[in-house]
Amino acid sequence: MYLTRDEEDILAGEEGESCQKAMELVVALGKIYGAEDLIGITSAHLSGASYKTIGDGGLKYLEDMVKGGAAVSVPSTLNPVGMDRGRWKEMHIPSAFAEKQLKIIELYKKMGVAATCSCTPYLDDNVPSLGDHVAWAESSALSFVNSYIGARTNREGGPGALAAAIIGKTANYGLHLDHNRIPTVVIDADIDGSVFSYSMLGQAVGTAIGSGIPYFRGISPAVDDAKTMSAAMAASGSVALYHVEGVTPEAGNFDISGLERISIGKKELRDAYDKLNTAEDVQLIALGCPHLSRKEMKDIAAFLKGKKKKNKNVEIWFCTSSKIREECAEEVRIMEEFGPVLADTCMVVAPIEGTFQRTGTNSAKAGNYLPTLCSQKVICRDISKLMDVVL
């Protein structure tokens, strides 16, 4: 593996212990995956932010990095954490959990990471450009920027993305290379075009192809559609890149003749739906996985305006970023009549299993992760049908 003189100096510890450890990790990953060299990145997005997922071991690792003087060298954002920083009591979060969660956020901030705590940083201030090389660790976010924007990142782990952010480089392999971005299968899709249908499409495709690179025909996703489809494919499979004919920036670069073709229609969508639905009723309805966009906030508020919550035994959470919550004050006012609008967190990385056993969601991503990460039985439906439970 070729390293420049400056990179060799970092590896030798001449830029300090933290940079050395970061370089060691990036180089080790590069050797594992056959990278010939390193490549500079323009941004990073870091997972490993919730105390629920990283625990005391992860907290100790971050403390050691900060003690060693670690600091990111490129713009870097943070994934959702295990609670809303100001409203954690409303989420039934124990104070011991809250104390450690707040400490994790502060440690990242000391390293220069922007504590936006969102899985949709591309809707806010971390927006790569076509062709940018980045190091992103959130599965749905990296799929979105790889595909809809045309930036380049592998499916980074939390420590790997942090290491890349510190040295400003990542190993040059996988989806950073042209020949690894070629589609492997054509998906002929027949859906109704609703956001929920894109979620079910992503669920069906991820289940069918695993880690392939699908080329879609017959759909025209807007940002929210692509957001939810990216999340579903990353959760039901491990799709990190896809192309959509006439929509995504790289789709016109490829000859798809001769590729395997898979048709996704009513039967496949129904199978995906049935797989996700495992509960008869719910105790919690949680929306915003990935985080709600400005448009989704407006749409939900418009749907709820003038309605009354009749079933007070079911809690409702709306999850979004701090920035979008601040910008949608009128929508928040309407939504808060039904449940808290939470920022910085989501149901998947929060310790909801201590309070709830049955959760409703409109997200295939959440539908995949809630049973395994949160011990939940799930109802997965379109928002309007979910709200039938409480309206």
Side-chain angles (χ1 to χ4, degrees), residues 32-51:
I32 289 170
Y33 291 106
E36 295 183 359
D37 57 8
L38 305 184
I39 192 165
I41 59 172
T42 61
S43 74
H45 182 67
L46 313 179
S47 61
S50 171
Y51 177 64

Side-chain angles (χ1 to χ4, degrees), residues 73-292:
S73 62
V74 297
S76 303
T77 45
L78 194 60
N79 224 30
V81 294
M83 63 187 204
D84 184 303
R85 281 175 276 190
R87 305 179 68 172
W88 51 270
K89 290 182 180 179
E90 295 176 59
M91 299 175 65
H92 317 284
I93 301 292
S95 57
F97 182 102
E99 180 180 348
K100 292 185 177 181
Q101 181 63 82
L102 292 172
K103 189 170 186 180
I104 288 169
I105 298 169
E106 286 305 310
L107 290 168
Y108 275 113
K109 288 170 67 176
K110 287 180 179 179
M111 289 187 279
V113 179
T116 48
C117 303
S118 176
C119 52
T120 57
Y122 50 84
L123 297 180
D124 291 325
D125 299 322
N126 191 352
V127 187
S129 298
L130 175 64
D132 280 358
H133 294 272
V134 299
W136 283 38
E138 208 285 329
S139 61
S140 68
L142 69 88
S143 179
F144 182 95
V145 298
N146 256 334
S147 311
Y148 207 76
I149 292 176
R152 299 188 171 203
T153 180
N154 288 312
R155 191 166 176 156
E156 299 276 6
L162 176 58
I166 291 170
I167 64 170
K169 297 183 179 184
T170 192
N172 191 17
Y173 71 94
L175 296 177
H176 292 285
L177 305 173
D178 288 344
H179 66 270
N180 290 326
R181 298 178 70 85
I182 298 170
T184 59
V185 58
V186 174
I187 305 294
D188 290 310
D190 180 13
I191 62 174
D192 65 21
S194 65
V195 174
F196 187 69
S197 72
Y198 275 100
S199 193
M200 292 302 101
L201 174 60
Q203 173 73 18
V205 172
T207 301
I209 72 170
S211 60
I213 301 177
Y215 182 101
F216 286 93
R217 299 191 304 187
I219 60 173
S220 184
V223 169
D224 288 333
D225 306 320
K227 173 171 73 79
T228 192
M229 186 173 73
S230 299
M233 285 192 290
S236 62
S238 53
V239 175
L241 168 65
Y242 60 88
H243 305 286
V244 181
E245 189 170 78
V247 176
T248 56
E250 295 176 82
N253 298 345
F254 309 108
D255 177 8
I256 60 171
S257 61
L259 290 182
E260 176 191 3
R261 282 169 162 73
I262 297 176
S263 294
I264 302 292
K266 290 182 179 179
K267 179 185 181 302
E268 292 77 18
L269 297 176
R270 184 70 200 189
D271 289 345
Y273 176 90
D274 289 342
K275 181 178 179 181
L276 292 170
N277 282 272
T278 57
E280 296 296 326
D281 59 22
V282 296
Q283 300 161 302
L284 170 69
I285 293 174
L287 306 177
C289 180
H291 275 168
L292 296 171

